[in-house]
Amino acid sequence: MSKHIAIVGAGPGGYVAAIRAAQLGARVTVIESHALGGVCLNWGCIPSKALLSVVALGDKVKQSADMGLLVHGPVSYDLAKMVARKNKVVAALVKGIATLFKAWNIEQVQGRGSLRDRQTVTVAAADGASRDIQADAIVIATGSCWPNLPQFPIDGQQVLTSQHLLDQERIPTSLLIVGGGVEGCEFASLYSSLGTAVTIIEAMPRVLPLEDADISSMMERELTKRGVTVMTGKTVERFERASAHITVHLNDGTQVAAEKVLVSVGRGLNSAGIGLEQVGVQTGRRGEILVNHRMETTVPGIYAIGDVVGTVMLAHVASAQGKVAVENIMGHEAAVRYDVIPAGIFTLPEIGRVGVTEQQARERTQASGQNPDNSVTVGRFRYAGVGKAQATGETTGLFKVIAELPSGKILGVHIIGAHAADLVHEAAMAMQVGATVTQMAEMIHAHPTLAEGLMEAAEDVQGKAIHQANRKDVQRPHVIVS
């Protein structure tokens, strides 16, 4: 007899888990209180990229005269039409998930799910009705939310979350972004392109503080070129509202006024009020659900995946965790490899990364008692040296490869530039299968492609990049060819 799996949440973790479970022969019920696809599809990843794709096209049009394409009149944007198109894209993808559910005979129940006991989920519908769903195993995929912080009084009119900002149909004259992380920099790229005067306030010394220092430095320069004012090492003390604008008071006494404010300071975990305490599921200090390598909680038969477990809060990680959870439920052995997770940041230009930063590599080496200068090496290659980048006018960017000495093991790859989020997957595959930096450099890359820049960066680890002048006074380390 097939197992019945109940999944609470239909975001990129829950809906993928549901389909994989059905593929493995399980009977599946999915409980969702909002929309299929969760935050990522409806109010995050896909909507923001739909809007960013328009301004990226606008950037190309602005360059067209230099390339011989004559477009009469200035580039302008109709934000209402952009939002309408975004909504169509989202609706089509949501419908696609519903079609897949139907094809795999997955039951979808609308309502808010909470644990009643180890094998029962109680679903509260919007109309007040209640229903109990019993299952052999339960997967919690409730995700994360915009934090409700008292120092950032979000009202949806002047002080906004990214969800609010994705549905604006009028271009604001000015926008202050509190937080220079991934979300903040993406929206800075978007709205500065639309003509909004954008200011970023970041508490850390640099924007994108979790990224490699070379990448975040280049991103800050590119934002500045777009007219974005970047203020790092500063925090918000208080807000002062007026009818037409809002004034933000910073810790150094500076005041910044803007028509709109985007609060982009992290996310809260949706673990409260879903019955975890009632059945004994343990959580950490942030509210994250504690799981083992099988994605099983402290209660046998109850699993958790995605943002709510607080490991790596990315949509594709949630999907991978969902597959692992149901594979284990169905009797297979599976685990997530957290050391090789590619990620994309859809700023203008894009960023792609996998593995550790140069700073992390050096700190880990030092912590193990080794000299980082003898154990870590770096290769770099600029987009301007790539033939295709010159041909397409996409010369802004950098490829960076971090390797271990003397083994040549690839520790991290960071790319900023056109199509970076796609290009980084070659590096992720190399790391997944254990290829060395020498093997990456020796793999023949098609010409002309942007991926040649990754090959050249790998060659530069030993000072062998063909299209890069090498300083003879710089001694390159030796990498053992495996």
Side-chain angles (χ1 to χ4, degrees):
M1 190 172 75
S2 68
K3 290 185 177 180
H4 181 202
I5 301 176
I7 300 174
V8 184
Y15 91 75
V16 169
I19 294 170
R20 177 53 52 88
Q23 290 172 342
L24 295 173
R27 182 165 68 89
V28 183
T29 299
V30 175
I31 300 103
E32 173 56 58
S33 59
H34 293 98
L36 293 177
V39 170
C40 174
L41 175 50
N42 293 276
W43 310 288
C45 314
I46 298 301
S48 61
K49 282 34 166 202
L51 297 177
L52 280 160
S53 68
V54 180
V55 297
L57 180 59
D59 282 356
K60 295 291 287 183
V61 173
K62 290 175 184 178
Q63 300 170 5
S64 63
D66 291 338
M67 301 176 75
L69 175 63
L70 302 181
V71 179
H72 299 289
V75 173
S76 60
Y77 297 95
D78 185 330
L79 186 54
K81 282 189 176 180
M82 290 170 60
V83 169
R85 174 186 172 272
K86 176 264 294 183
N87 292 339
K88 286 183 180 179
V89 170
V90 169
L93 291 172
V94 170
K95 184 178 179 180
I97 296 173
T99 300
L100 288 170
F101 274 20
K102 186 175 181 180
W104 285 103
N105 295 315
I106 296 168
E107 179 188 18
Q108 180 188 349
V109 178
Q110 194 74 21
R112 190 175 189 277
S114 60
L115 299 174
R116 179 174 179 179
D117 57 45
R118 295 186 177 196
Q119 291 188 306
T120 308
V121 177
T122 297
V123 183
D127 61 3
S130 180
R131 170 187 173 185
D132 283 347
I133 296 173
Q134 292 189 318
D136 299 300
I138 297 169
V139 178
I140 302 169
T142 47
S144 62
C145 60
W146 290 270
N148 184 16
L149 303 174
Q151 65 268 42
F152 301 119
I154 294 166
D155 59 14
Q157 300 298 318
Q158 290 179 308
V159 184
L160 315 173
T161 66
S162 57
Q163 181 177 355
H164 299 127
L165 203 53
L166 286 168
D167 284 325
Q168 298 291 306
E169 295 190 351
R170 185 185 62 80
I171 300 172
T173 57
S174 54
L175 172 68
L176 174 65
I177 299 175
V178 181
V182 172
E183 182 181 81
C185 287
E186 286 187 355
F187 276 100
S189 293
L190 172 62
Y191 273 88
S192 62
S193 298
L194 294 175
T196 300
V198 178
T199 301
I200 293 178
I201 305 295
E202 169 55 48
M204 299 297 285
R206 56 189 173 93
V207 297
L208 298 177
L210 300 181
E211 301 304 311
D212 187 89
D214 284 345
I215 302 302
S216 65
S217 294
M218 183 172 281
M219 186 72 253
E220 186 167 329
R221 289 197 299 272
E222 292 305 309
L223 287 170
T224 301
K225 288 179 184 177
R226 290 180 173 274
V228 177
T229 300
V230 179
M231 304 175 70
T232 55
K234 302 182 189 301
T235 57
V236 174
E237 292 290 308
R238 63 187 177 91
F239 292 88
E240 185 179 318
R241 300 176 189 272
S243 59
H245 66 274
I246 187 164
T247 301
V248 176
H249 297 258
L250 305 182
N251 60 325
D252 63 353
T254 305
Q255 298 180 20
V256 182
E259 182 184 342
K260 305 283 185 181
V261 175
L262 168 65
V263 176
S264 180
V265 290
R267 297 187 65 79
L269 307 181
N270 292 329
S271 59
I274 58 173
L276 299 180
E277 302 86 353
Q278 181 171 318
V279 298
V281 173
Q282 293 183 11
T283 58
R285 62 179 183 81
R286 296 178 295 135
E288 73 277 16
I289 299 176
L290 303 180
V291 293
N292 60 20
H293 69 283
R294 292 166 50 85
M295 307 310 301
E296 191 170 28
T297 70
T298 52
V299 175
I302 300 179
Y303 295 72
I305 61 173
D307 284 4
V308 76
V309 304
T311 49
V312 182
M313 295 171 71
L314 296 169
H316 47 286
V317 174
S319 297
Q321 291 172 336
K323 294 173 186 176
V324 164
V326 296
E327 291 275 357
N328 285 308
I329 291 170
M330 297 302 289
H332 306 281
E333 283 296 323
V336 177
R337 276 196 63 174
Y338 291 106
D339 60 325
V340 185
I341 296 177
I345 302 175
F346 297 89
T347 43
L348 300 172
E350 278 185 7
I351 295 171
R353 62 169 162 84
V354 62
V356 299
T357 66
E358 181 181 354
Q359 182 180 354
Q360 288 171 333
R362 294 188 181 281
E363 288 175 349
R364 291 181 186 183
T365 299
Q366 194 165 24
S368 66
Q370 303 176 65
N371 183 347
D373 292 336
N374 298 330
S375 305
V376 176
T377 184
V378 175
R380 297 176 177 85
F381 195 79
R382 293 193 174 275
Y383 266 61
V386 180
K388 186 173 182 181
Q390 291 285 350
T392 59
E394 298 169 313
T395 55
T396 299
L398 174 71
F399 296 87
K400 181 174 181 178
V401 176
I402 304 158
E404 178 184 77
L405 290 173
S407 67
K409 178 183 178 181
I410 303 168
L411 302 176
V413 174
H414 304 267
I415 308 172
I416 180 170
H419 308 290
D422 298 311
L423 290 166
V424 78
H425 286 82
E426 176 187 329
M429 176 58 76
M431 293 173 67
Q432 181 88 5
V433 300
T436 65
V437 69
T438 301
Q439 290 169 324
M440 179 185 284
E442 290 177 345
M443 191 190 89
I444 298 173
H445 286 65
H447 175 75
T449 62
L450 293 177
E452 290 177 278
L454 187 54
M455 174 186 69
E456 299 250 20
E459 290 178 331
D460 185 56
V461 167
Q462 288 189 282
K464 294 181 178 179
I466 295 297
H467 296 94
Q468 181 163 275
N470 188 35
R471 288 177 54 193
K472 294 182 179 180
D473 60 327
V474 176
Q475 295 296 316
R476 295 288 181 163
H478 180 66
V479 176
I480 294 176
V481 180
S482 61

